[in-house]
Amino acid sequence: MTMAKPKYELILLKNMLQPGYTGSLADYERAGGYQALRKILGKVAPAEVTAMVTKSGLRGRGGAGFPAGIKWGFLPKDYQGPKYLCCNADESEPGTFKDRQLMERDPHQVLEGIAIACYAIGAETAYIYIRGEFVLGAKILEKAIAEARAAGYLGKNVLGAGVTIDVWVHRGAGAYICGEETALLESLEGKRGLPRVKPPFPATAGLYGKPTVINNVETLANLPHIITRGPEWFASIGSPPKSTGMRIFCVSGHVKRPGNYEVPMGITCRDLIFEHAGGMRSDKPLKAIIPGGASASFFTPEHLDVKLDFESVAQAGSMLGSGGVTVMEEGTSMVWAALRLMEFFHHESCGKCSPCREGSSWLVQTLRRIVNKRGRMQDLETLTDLCQNIAGRTVCAFGDAEVAPILSTLKYWRHEYEELIRTAEANGSSELLMPAAARH
Amino acid sequence: MLREKYKAEIDEILSRYPLRRSALLPLLYLAQKEEGYVTEAAMKEIASILKITPPQVYETVTFYTMLNLRPVGKFHIQVCKSLMCALVGSDTLLGWLEVRLGIKPGNTTKDGLFTLSKVECLAACGTGPMMQINDDYYERLTEEKVDRILADLKRDGTSSLKSGPFMWPERTDG
Ligand SMILES: Cc1cc2nc3c(=O)[nH]c(=O)nc-3n(C[C@H](O)[C@H](O)[C@H](O)COP(=O)(O)O)c2cc1C
Ligand code: FES
């Protein structure tokens, strides 16, 4: 299956779609690579670079959508000691597989972005925290780093401008939570990946307690283009002023052509699914959409005309998150889908906060009971109650994430839950509140 | 002993970080590569290299699913079972593997060749059903592909069906 001719001028996937493009340094340079770094190093003041990024409106592509330039601006101004940049390449949100493509197919685009960010924030060291399973991605990055060092784009005295930018690849080892920025820092420090209480924010006390910026791979890959073509150009793409630029959506599920599609922010769900991803894979109609990774609330066919930008998706009750769009056809059980996601969250709960640690286990047990036709009507109340006692009561946003699939499926497909439970009641297979032997 | 065999590599790893403990995961990977799993002796040695206590190493190891505290088969098959893969048939894939290998997830075949595991999302959700075997991804799996992969691995120790640098949809020149 190959890519149809794109409808828009691509930014991030442009190089890699050229026939023969291998992602080598030579290929990247031929495509205009490292010109942005040349343009700024020793010529444009770091604060100016940050101002450009702020002006571009670039918002984080990792999940939270925080404006990148503003985040950089939070670093202490007169601080002389070491600062760090961490490139978040953990890509662990189910439904998301774009960073893998960016790193494996055009690694220098990511490295140039890292170098630009390091220069802007005054960091001499950057760590790429890549999920452990991406063995190939880590190898490709390491090779690219060696090439870039040899060519003077990284290392000591980059491009003769007296700036040091050392980049290291650091592999995670299988833990979703290490994509959360403070858990990432803990993991990078050689510890269990338990999120930190904020404040202090990483901008003031991050890696090794030093000022640190954490940015997603895709966020960083946008930087060379913003520098080369100007923040105004970038800010004119997508849904300005709040959702600028292109976005790589990772489409999965029951569509004809799943895959990564780079489109301007603000195209509709319908456009993405039916134009780009080829529509439904069979004649079964669309039933549900997850618009922004496993942590995002479900959408229904009613939401097909929602624009995929930060504001519109939030207004419609979900989030754009990581850009993972999952499509489900009629016939998919929404209770089963919620259970699958909940099993993921239960498995990945780091165990630090009791509402999430215990609650995720109870949620899985309750959902499993319902799916297995052993549920009872009170279970619906229990689910809601548990969700309400997890969301907002944890150190990190994992707690809010894990309840979204359940609360949204309960909202739109409550009848499916009820049907399963009614079957259980009719069969007499509802689990009793206590084992029979314990009741008197 | 890791220190004797990998002195240069360990020194290089340590040089990347201002604090030694950051080298913990890289050193654990080194240990796992050496023995196939992380042994108690390796944990003690790594603790001494990093100047931390063995329990500090152990508590970290137990947090991460990719670090094995027990030996696994020569080929560790990890099938993604998360929602996006489940929508396109990961349960069926798991079924094929259970039948072919004659084991349930969590077990190793008697000849020590294959360990079968169910895992959570591996960031290949658009190309499911998929599995990882040792360092390699295998995507868009069908029954025929699975048979070929298992046969290739038994015969050659590797399979040409593994994924290369990822791009999906593919570009026209492949
Ligand atoms: C549970 C959890 C998992 C996350 N996983 C990832 C991830 O895999 N990759 C990522 O870039 N951001 C992830 N994030 C978001 C990061 O915490 C952080 O916001 C992001 O890396 C910042 O970069 P950005 O501003 O460029 O998006 C996760 C957040 C949470 C709460
Ligand atoms: S759900 Fe299987 S790789 Fe993401």
Side-chain angles (χ1 to χ4, degrees):
Chain A
M1 192 176 68
T2 54
M3 184 102 179
K5 195 172 158 40
K7 264 170 73 178
Y8 310 97
E9 189 203 341
L10 302 185
I11 302 175
L12 299 172
L13 304 186
K14 185 174 173 186
N15 292 345
M16 65 181 83
L17 280 167
Q18 300 306 314
Y21 189 84
T22 63
S24 67
L25 178 60
D27 281 2
Y28 185 63
E29 285 179 318
R30 219 172 293 124
Y34 287 111
Q35 288 306 322
L37 194 61
R38 285 185 190 281
K39 187 168 162 185
I40 56 167
L41 229 57
K43 296 177 191 139
V44 181
E48 193 86 2
V49 176
T50 304
M52 284 170 84
V53 174
T54 306
K55 201 166 166 198
S56 76
L58 174 67
R59 291 174 64 173
R61 303 314 199 220
F66 199 83
I70 295 179
K71 189 193 287 192
W72 299 359
F74 290 153
L75 292 189
K77 296 283 171 295
D78 309 315
Y79 176 86
Q80 291 307 318
K83 297 177 218 170
Y84 296 99
L85 176 77
C86 295
C87 168
N88 191 342
D90 198 53
E91 187 143 83
S92 47
E93 176 80 5
T96 318
F97 46 90
K98 64 193 169 64
D99 297 339
R100 178 176 172 217
Q101 182 161 328
L102 288 171
M103 293 186 287
E104 294 186 354
R105 286 289 182 149
D106 207 2
H108 285 285
Q109 180 174 244
V110 180
L111 293 180
E112 187 176 12
I114 289 174
I116 292 166
C118 280
Y119 176 71
I121 65 172
E124 297 196 335
T125 310
Y127 295 102
I128 303 176
Y129 186 97
I130 184 169
R131 65 177 297 164
E133 295 87 348
F134 285 173
V135 182
L136 181 62
K139 274 191 196 140
I140 290 173
L141 282 170
E142 266 168 357
K143 182 161 169 264
I145 291 169
E147 279 182 314
R149 282 180 85 94
Y153 295 123
L154 294 176
K156 313 278 176 256
N157 194 17
V158 174
L159 295 172
V163 179
T164 296
I165 303 173
D166 282 321
V167 183
W168 306 107
V169 176
H170 187 95
R171 289 176 59 212
Y176 166 64
I177 194 61
C178 292
E180 194 280 336
E181 55 185 18
T182 60
L184 182 154
L185 298 175
E186 288 287 301
S187 179
L188 192 43
E189 290 180 6
K191 302 177 205 153
R192 294 168 74 88
L194 305 184
R196 298 175 183 171
V197 177
K198 295 190 267 192
F201 288 91
T204 47
L207 188 61
Y208 312 120
K210 309 291 186 220
T212 302
V213 164
I214 299 114
N215 273 135
N216 170 259
V217 170
E218 186 186 350
T219 314
L220 293 164
N222 271 298
L223 297 173
H225 308 282
I226 292 172
I227 302 294
T228 319
R229 300 176 74 173
E232 294 81 7
W233 161 80
F234 191 86
S236 72
I237 302 167
S239 291
K242 293 226 168 128
S243 297
T244 59
M246 305 285 276
R247 185 85 204 237
I248 304 175
F249 288 105
C250 320
V251 187
S252 60
H254 297 147
V255 291
K256 266 203 193 92
R257 291 198 299 268
N260 282 321
Y261 296 96
E262 183 180 19
V263 296
M265 272 214 256
I267 74 160
T268 61
C269 274
R270 187 188 302 281
D271 228 19
L272 180 69
I273 295 169
F274 289 93
E275 291 261 323
H276 295 271
M280 302 307 288
R281 67 173 183 182
S282 70
D283 48 15
K284 288 191 194 156
L286 184 148
K287 176 172 184 182
I289 308 163
I290 305 175
S295 310
S297 293
F298 282 49
F299 272 174
T300 69
E302 308 260 289
H303 295 97
L304 272 171
D305 292 309
V306 171
K307 287 185 174 169
L308 292 169
D309 61 43
F310 289 107
E311 272 63 42
S312 309
V313 176
Q315 257 167 31
S318 188
M319 63 169 189
L320 199 54
S322 62
V325 175
T326 303
V327 179
M328 286 160 265
E329 66 192 13
E330 205 53 70
T332 312
S333 160
M334 289 299 115
V335 193
W336 168 85
L339 171 60
R340 266 305 151 111
L341 289 173
M342 200 55 231
E343 284 173 353
F344 167 83
F345 287 114
H346 171 50
H347 182 260
E348 300 297 335
S349 172
C350 77
K352 178 165 179 154
C353 312
S354 29
C356 171
R357 183 185 61 238
E358 305 303 324
S360 62
S361 158
W362 296 340
L363 284 170
V364 166
Q365 289 174 39
T366 312
L367 281 171
R368 200 170 277 156
R369 179 158 72 217
I370 299 175
V371 168
N372 292 340
K373 303 202 180 77
R374 288 188 286 112
R376 49 197 188 230
M377 276 306 163
Q378 304 98 293
D379 284 341
L380 299 185
E381 221 173 290
T382 308
L383 285 176
T384 317
D385 190 46
L386 283 170
C387 289
Q388 282 164 353
N389 279 292
I390 296 172
R393 287 178 158 83
T394 53
V395 161
C396 82
F398 187 106
D400 303 304
E402 69 190 301
V403 304
I406 299 186
L407 289 179
S408 58
T409 49
L410 264 175
K411 179 171 165 196
Y412 299 121
W413 294 279
R414 195 182 177 89
H415 56 277
E416 290 193 16
Y417 285 83
E418 289 172 352
E419 230 162 85
L420 283 165
I421 294 171
R422 270 198 298 273
T423 314
E425 288 176 344
N427 293 346
S429 56
S430 290
E431 243 172 59
L432 299 167
L433 292 176
M434 273 182 279
R439 282 183 310 134
H440 291 290
Chain B
M1 293 297 267
L2 296 168
R3 221 173 329 209
E4 281 135 42
K5 192 157 169 201
Y6 294 105
K7 174 141 196 347
E9 206 166 337
I10 293 174
D11 287 345
E12 192 279 322
I13 291 171
L14 289 171
S15 76
R16 301 175 197 166
Y17 309 100
L19 290 189
R20 295 174 90 82
R21 184 165 176 171
S22 276
L24 182 49
L25 286 182
L27 293 189
L28 287 166
Y29 272 127
L30 205 61
Q32 181 152 300
K33 192 172 81 184
E34 184 65 15
E35 302 270 357
Y37 70 108
V38 181
T39 63
E40 201 175 316
M43 285 192 270
K44 286 189 178 140
E45 188 186 354
I46 290 172
S48 99
I49 296 172
L50 299 181
K51 302 189 168 56
I52 56 180
T53 63
Q56 285 176 313
V57 175
Y58 184 73
E59 71 165 18
T60 309
V61 173
T62 55
F63 189 78
Y64 297 96
T65 52
M66 287 179 63
L67 299 170
N68 305 320
L69 283 167
R70 281 181 302 152
V72 291
K74 185 170 171 212
F75 303 107
H76 188 184
I77 305 182
Q78 301 181 289
V79 177
C80 169
K81 61 160 278 262
S82 296
L83 176 66
M84 295 75 195
C85 281
L87 288 172
V88 292
S90 60
D91 292 357
T92 314
L93 166 62
L94 203 59
W96 295 331
L97 286 163
E98 287 179 12
V99 170
R100 301 293 190 285
L101 302 174
I103 50 171
K104 290 276 173 202
N107 293 298
T108 302
T109 51
K110 284 220 177 63
D111 56 10
L113 270 186
F114 296 101
T115 298
L116 182 62
S117 303
K118 287 195 282 189
V119 296
E120 298 292 351
C121 180
L122 294 174
C125 330
T127 39
M130 63 83 60
M131 61 187 174
Q132 177 164 23
I133 304 182
N134 297 352
D135 287 351
D136 301 311
Y137 276 31
Y138 295 86
E139 296 164 75
R140 296 171 51 77
L141 293 171
T142 58
E143 203 164 1
E144 297 73 57
K145 259 179 155 176
V146 167
D147 282 338
R148 270 182 59 194
I149 293 163
L150 293 180
D152 286 354
L153 291 178
K154 275 190 196 157
R155 196 182 52 242
D156 311 326
T158 176
S159 171
S160 60
L161 290 171
K162 68 185 178 202
S163 305
F166 177 73
M167 167 140 59
W168 199 259
E170 285 173 312
R171 84 183 165 219
T172 8
D173 71 329

